[in-house]
Amino acid sequence: MAQWVFSFGDGWADGDAAMQQLLGGKGANLAEMSALGLPVPPGFTVTTEVCAHYYSNNKTYPNELRDQVSAALAKIEAAIGASFGDATDPLLISVRSGGRASMPGMMDTVLNLGLNDETVAGLAARSGDERFAYDSYRRFIQIYSDVVLGVDHYQFEELLEIFKEGKKVELDAELEAEDLKRLVAAYKEAVRAEIGRDFPQDPTEQLWGAVDAVFGSWMNQRAITYRRMHNIPPSWGTAINVQTMVFGNMGDDCATGVAFTRNPSTGENNFYGEFLVNAQGEDVVAGNRTPQPLTVANKAVNNTSLPAMEEVMPHVFGQLEEVGKRLETHYCDMQDIEFTVEKGRLYILQTRSGKRTTNAAMRIAVEMANSGLITRDDALLQIEPSTLDQLLHPHLDPKAKRNVIATGLPASPGAVSGRVVFTADDAERSAHKDEKVVLVRKETSPEDIHGMHAAQGILTTRGGMTSHAAVVARGMGRPCVSGAGRIQVDQEAESFFINDVTIARGDWITIDGSTGEVMLGQVPTVEPALSRDFATLMAWADERRRLGVRANAETPEDTRTARRFGAEGIGLCRTEHMFFEIDRIVAMREMILADEEKARRAALAKILPMQRTDFEELFRIMQGLPVTIRLLDPPLHEFLPQTNTELVELAESLGTKMKLVRNRALQLREANPMLGHRGYRLAISYPEIPEMQARAIFEAACNVSKELGQTVIPELMIPLAATKIEIEILKEVIDRVAGEVRAETGVGLEYSVGTMIELPRAALRAGEIAETANFLNFGTNDLTQTTFGISRDDVGSFLGNYQELGVIEADPLVSLNPEGVGELITQGSQRGRATRPDLKVGICGEHGGDPLSITFCETIGLDYVSCSPYRVPIARLAAAQAAIRLAKCRAGV
Amino acid sequence: MAQWVFSFGDGWADGDAAMQQLLGGKGANLAEMSALGLPVPPGFTVTTEVCAHYYSNNKTYPNELRDQVSAALAKIEAAIGASFGDATDPLLISVRSGGRASMPGMMDTVLNLGLNDETVAGLAARSGDERFAYDSYRRFIQIYSDVVLGVDHYQFEELLEIFKEGKKVELDAELEAEDLKRLVAAYKEAVRAEIGRDFPQDPTEQLWGAVDAVFGSWMNQRAITYRRMHNIPPSWGTAINVQTMVFGNMGDDCATGVAFTRNPSTGENNFYGEFLVNAQGEDVVAGNRTPQPLTVANKAVNNTSLPAMEEVMPHVFGQLEEVGKRLETHYCDMQDIEFTVEKGRLYILQTRSGKRTTNAAMRIAVEMANSGLITRDDALLQIEPSTLDQLLHPHLDPKAKRNVIATGLPASPGAVSGRVVFTADDAERSAHKDEKVVLVRKETSPEDIHGMHAAQGILTTRGGMTSHAAVVARGMGRPCVSGAGRIQVDQEAESFFINDVTIARGDWITIDGSTGEVMLGQVPTVEPALSRDFATLMAWADERRRLGVRANAETPEDTRTARRFGAEGIGLCRTEHMFFEIDRIVAMREMILADEEKARRAALAKILPMQRTDFEELFRIMQGLPVTIRLLDPPLHEFLPQTNTELVELAESLGTKMKLVRNRALQLREANPMLGHRGYRLAISYPEIPEMQARAIFEAACNVSKELGQTVIPELMIPLAATKIEIEILKEVIDRVAGEVRAETGVGLEYSVGTMIELPRAALRAGEIAETANFLNFGTNDLTQTTFGISRDDVGSFLGNYQELGVIEADPLVSLNPEGVGELITQGSQRGRATRPDLKVGICGEHGGDPLSITFCETIGLDYVSCSPYRVPIARLAAAQAAIRLAKCRAGV
């Protein structure tokens, strides 16, 4: 019989930490902690397989599930000595989701389950606090009705307001037990009016209702959006954790909080966290109250004078710190621990690897490796490569003037300027128009995710370092300042003010998520100084990786950035970008409008010296590192102006008739330019273009070789090969030009000629193509477009829908599709190498900087990846991780 | 040592008919005939391998070639008893090209080689005719200078005119020996003036000059164009045949002609041909003199009263007829024989399978098979499937009024109307504008090929049934009337006249190539009645083929045509074609402009009954044969009007604001519609569309099932699959609708759901796709576009250039590219069948009617091809041929 339910409790557990896939992250860790003997409230986990069964069997459960749940409940009752539904000593439970990957706040949770008109009295007796008991019941009715019964929570909030008005009080806390009893009655009445039957009194019915709702919430819109953004497959499903309730809100000897074993923002090896006295766990995360620090040292970090837990409950704090040390050593990673103190007794509700800033992650990894807690390989594996992105982008210029108007918490590092917007939708709309915005909110909620993603940065006026805004922003790599409490937001008027300054929608501000500062206007930024830990990790990564990492760059600035970030060469220099500068585009257009080879050659002769200078500069910067230059790619119409006015101007400037210019523009127009007269096709139609480019490259190589006293060996390639013959034809042209330049300069020019592979046919025919080409460079952007039959420019019309429906999990233009495009790359590189065993094979395109794609490239044994300069460190780390994982996998680990 | 030269002569030969690849068609047959003991003038063949060597070694020859040629010449001298360059009895030779495939008139030929100032006297002595000898020398100088030395032949023609004027004569024949001697001197002077040296006197130098020129002519523009049109690979190369000259122009006991063993126009089993007394071979083909019939029976066929060879030289005719019978029996095919009679002695210069009209080919094949000369398989192999095309197209309506203004020879069958043009370039220009034209010429020459290809039909005023125009037109399947001698063409005025009727450029005429009639204006045409031989062959083909043949059709008319031509089902019914009719396009646009599902459904509900009627009609016509229906494919913008004016009208007619209409049109616009929001993508975005279509199909199937009393089983498919999940999602929709229709109608509906495969990714993932899809239909048009990265609409910009350069041999959108697209189809069908062994796999698209592509489909074991209705018979025959060839190949034959 399949085991659908796994129990855990004080000192024992059915599962362990390795069973994340089955029990979810939370469930596996609850089991592990229970087995370690940590104070975990007993409970059980309903597995992710039940979720999968639920969705593939028309939302029904396996037959054995009810019995297994009953048995697990009985186990809890035995452990706690209380009974589910018992009127005198009722067992109360929480029902929470917990998937393989954390999806904070995305799914539903039900607390205090088991309360009803009878058990509420038992709770009152046990806690000795009738007010607390009815307040818990009231909260339970509200959450349960909202989550399970579909009764909008605003109804309950309205009833609460009416009650408070009737009593002429302002705070919930001012309501007395009797008031809450009447409020409970009113809540129940509201539920009956809405759903036509009584609020369920049977705890078992309550439990199954909650289980249904939590599994159901796996497919709610928020969760779907979150998964799409984080590449979590819908097929993973969620587990459900049912656990004995403990209460941090039974009085001043109660508390709830979150602890990190190291500082998640800086990585400093100091216990760090926040807590609230007499509160439930949700209060900390929701950010409605400003939490207190755990340690005295934390006070300075958080800019707060509130008393620390270390001061308020020193004994329990000591226990907590001890648990933290034990968990960090046990898991070999910094832990994020949720705890509750019920009447002076510590309970651990959850532990997981703590989210952290990238700088913190690097510091933690390096320090843990240096202290011997983990290996260097494990240190490398601890850093999610894509998070390096946030380090590599500009910070505020320290010399720039700053008009700081407020300071909040440094919730997610990085500095950014943007126009102020106040709603997530507004942020998204602006992003579509390529406008930079900062989303300003009192606090954020899961409904704001799309806006946070669209915004450059996030500013909130409430909530701490572990508030929703802070957690999500760090995950996304968006700069965020949270809890800037002196700022007042007027959501309706779409403005915020602080002292006498008013900032309206559309005004520019700058936030620095590393310092918590909020500034007026746009403050200039500078390149980041990279930490010593970064350099250490990169050096470890370089030792460990097999894949070469090159950069896609053509401007001197990008080329310098690429070198600075450790690129081992240029993998893709797109020469057409060099044609768009104003002095060149004129000659380019002259060439396009010429109807004879002679006139085209005359125009190209004007471009030659400029191209040569371009290449000299690149070769100089790269100092002998390999440089792969792609000859002209796009169809010629891309170089012509689009509007009639511009065409008239062009005709005038070239002294040509408008009619001729327009006719040529019409003649060049293409129905599907992506599949058009490009690359080889263009070079074969107008061989004078590759001739000019080859000459510029070779002359530059000769000049710089002399200058450097070392041979520059350029690598030439042309895009969009379909057949071997195309490459042969152009290799002849290139070889001829090389011979001419050799004869003219007397320099012993060396070079290689390869090809891009962007068409399925070329990938399949790589065996014969490698007879002519010295190297293959898979242009994965175009190869994805042709293999998938999608157009980068048009895919937006259905891609979102496809991801929501699970047709494709990741955007194939961002993360290499391994089954389709990947198979062609695999076949292409195998066939190419069968012909020419020393064939160099790499990829360029967006995928070259995508960690998943890099893992794929390592697995199939490519030689290098090439990516944008800012992604080079990401690629270096991802390549090292891929090598480590592949070695582990081959060793059977 | 490699044998580069193969000798042949009276009764002996180094080669044989099987060596076509090495010796070319002509050389192999000369060897075969020599070995049979037929009267072939002795000679030798320089192999096609020499041509390949020549082009891959910078136009140089193998070292051994000179010696082998000398030895072969010596062999001829021994056989003939004459010597090359001998002043008293000189050996004269012809040098002709001869490739694996016939390329009539495309390449250069040199006759009378060996003549010089000395040997001309020997020829005079031997022939006893000084005038003849100098005329031969004059002709040799002209041809040789033109072909080898690059001296334009107009120079010589001008000199000849001057001489005739000086002598005040009109005909060449009126010049006497002395005149011709002086003319020869003038010719030689002209050559020296032009090339700066004397006309070569050394026969060996002459020979090598001619060999260079003939090999060189393999790459002349005419030859390249011809090869491209006939899919002859440039790599094949040509052989060269050097052969003893025999003279049909030494007097009235001399003649030259062409004989067919059966009538090439009707296929009747009657000796047929034409000849000229006292003429050289080129005179017959060139069409300068109207030739005489071979037999008395031919007189009636050719509408001539000129005396027949049977009457003029009965003895030689008897020998010729005997040779014809022997060759036909030997080769098991109708032969086209070139002969010359020199002083009463018959020489056979060439035999080859005779070109014939398709009707003739069918009659010959059926009669030969029925007589036991060949098998039915061989009969099927004798018909080039693509030639069936000309049979299947309309003939003149017998009831239509015809204003016949002239009658010529019925040179190539079929009737056609077109505007008159007078130059090949004009014909080509008109074709680009989709104008139908008839090309009118005194006679055609190889320079006119492109214009003949571009024209609907050809009319000439000179030349016979074997003239250039007639041969080429039959090969192309263009209707042609030749030798309409009463018509006078005024090339300069661009008009022709007959009696008092003048027809100017642009006027409409109609020609009937089956009767030879030329008519004024446009005469209506009717569908052709297909011959009994056609039916016989088709029946044989159907017995022999394994591949199913279906048609691509959606209109009732096309569907009926498809059935009439033997389609076994509809393989592709493109439903979007049904949306363009005026009553539907309005509802379609309404749907596109709706911004809510509800409004879209309302618009679709209007289309539903019309679609249902469409499908009912198809099912009725197909009477239970399978019908595969493709749901909506194109992106929605294709249904919106393009111009502003039309958009305004649309807005008005729908009562919508122009701005909304324009915004929607802009929103739908795509950069690369080929890779756009189509097929599955569209159906998944707007599931109400496939729902409506599925309902229309199912309701129609239920209705017609009841009506016919037999179950109609529709096959549904959607285009542009990339993933399995797309198919799953839409299969769910289709299955749900089927369930609804079943419930509503109570009919036990059966259907299958398959998918089109048009993207490389889908082909690669066919294994998992076949888990969901019941059948795979490779949409080879789009699969070629994506695999090759070409766009049907744009490929014209470089395709011609690519074919000229040999980058690709055939247009991959016409003939399936076996290495690229073919490999994907092979992999796709193998992977699909590995999952589902009974998976039906077919192709649709242009390739389904292309014989080469059909051969490919047979080789990889697909189940069916689907093509346009008119191509169904072609596909049936091609499929039979493919099966026969595959069986032969597997049997090692």
Side-chain angles (χ1 to χ4, degrees), chain A residues 209-222:
Chain A
V211 168
D212 283 353
V214 173
F215 280 141
S217 68
W218 178 249
M219 285 295 173
N220 73 30
Q221 200 48 51
R222 284 196 323 240

Side-chain angles (χ1 to χ4, degrees), chain A residues 681 726 789 802 823 831, chain B residues 681 726 761 789 802 823 831:
Chain A
R681 300 157 188 186
E726 292 169 313
Y802 263 38
E823 179 171 355
R831 292 177 181 193
Chain B
R681 300 157 187 184
E726 293 169 313
R761 188 183 193 281
Y802 264 38
E823 179 171 354
R831 292 177 181 192

Side-chain angles (χ1 to χ4, degrees), chain B residues 1 77 79 207 219 281 343 346 389-390 446 463 569 576 590 672 720 723 771 834 875:
Chain B
M1 199 176 70
E77 289 170 332
L207 171 59
M219 285 294 173
K343 294 190 176 292
L346 176 69
D389 213 19
Q390 56 185 287
E576 61 271 14
E590 219 171 281
N672 296 288
L720 218 71
T723 68
E771 291 166 7

Side-chain angles (χ1 to χ4, degrees), chain B residues 9-68:
Chain B
D10 201 5
W12 50 267
D14 294 345
D16 61 41
M19 297 167 80
Q20 282 218 16
Q21 196 162 333
L22 187 63
L23 306 180
K26 178 182 262 179
N29 285 332
L30 285 172
E32 185 83 6
M33 287 193 295
S34 299
L36 283 175
L38 297 180
V40 173
F44 59 86
T45 304
V46 181
T47 69
T48 56
E49 286 175 354
V50 176
C51 187
H53 184 285
Y54 181 76
Y55 279 107
S56 54
N57 290 276
N58 206 18
K59 303 198 177 174
T60 61
Y61 296 111
N63 290 330
E64 310 89 343
L65 186 65
R66 279 199 167 255
D67 288 348
Q68 293 188 11

Side-chain angles (χ1 to χ4, degrees), chain A residues 119-169:
Chain A
T119 58
V120 67
L123 179 62
R126 197 180 82 194
S127 64
D129 185 346
E130 194 175 29
R131 192 198 168 281
F132 161 75
Y134 280 92
D135 192 42
S136 297
Y137 192 22
R138 166 186 81 81
R139 287 173 188 241
F140 170 57
I141 294 172
Q142 174 170 337
I143 293 180
Y144 191 92
S145 300
D146 182 16
V147 165
V148 182
L149 305 177
V151 182
D152 201 312
H153 56 91
Y154 292 115
Q155 287 207 31
F156 303 107
E157 279 152 21
E158 212 174 290
L159 281 171
L160 178 62
E161 286 307 312
I162 292 166
F163 259 75
K164 287 197 285 188
E165 276 171 27
K167 291 281 292 184
K168 299 195 189 339
V169 299

Side-chain angles (χ1 to χ4, degrees), chain A residues 43-66:
Chain A
F44 60 85
T45 304
V46 182
T47 70
T48 55
E49 286 175 353
V50 177
C51 186
H53 183 285
Y54 181 76
Y55 278 107
S56 54
N57 290 277
N58 208 16
K59 303 198 178 176
T60 60
Y61 296 110
N63 290 332
E64 311 90 344
L65 186 66
R66 282 202 165 252

